[in-house]
Amino acid sequence: AYVITEACIDVQDRACMEECPVDCIYPGDRMMYIHPDECVDCGKCVPACPSQAIHSEYSVPPAQQAFVDANAVFVRTH
Ligand code: SF4
């Protein structure tokens, strides 16, 4: 799955939502989140993000690792 990270906070551009073919990107209070079980790994959201906040789960920067869980937890609790 792909993961939205810190750079989305207080930006929430939402261009990613328009690119996602399976509508698995959800808005939270301060950032967007990707449902890890619904994401089909197409990568289309990555270039759409003006903040470069989206990464494959396999290439999330070390300092952003907490967002892997944050995306999963958000979608399972909302
Ligand atoms: Fe949606 Fe594709 Fe991005 Fe996954 S990688 S969130 S399916 S646009």
Side-chain angles (χ1 to χ4, degrees):
Y2 279 63
V3 175
I4 301 182
T5 62
E6 188 172 15
C8 182
I9 295 175
D10 293 334
V11 179
Q12 293 193 303
D13 180 83
R14 299 188 183 220
C16 55
M17 291 180 74
E18 294 176 20
E19 295 300 323
C20 183
V22 293
D23 294 331
C24 69
I25 304 176
Y26 301 90
D29 285 344
R30 294 183 64 191
M31 62 175 282
M32 315 291 291
Y33 298 95
I34 292 172
H35 194 310
D37 299 329
E38 296 176 357
C39 175
V40 295
D41 287 324
C42 72
K44 289 182 178 172
C45 54
V46 175
C49 179
S51 302
Q52 298 178 301
I54 309 175
H55 305 272
S56 162
E57 64 183 315
Y58 302 112
S59 57
V60 174
Q64 301 291 314
Q65 280 295 325
F67 285 90
V68 177
D69 280 348
N71 280 245
V73 169
F74 176 83
V75 300
R76 286 175 187 140
T77 55
H78 288 78

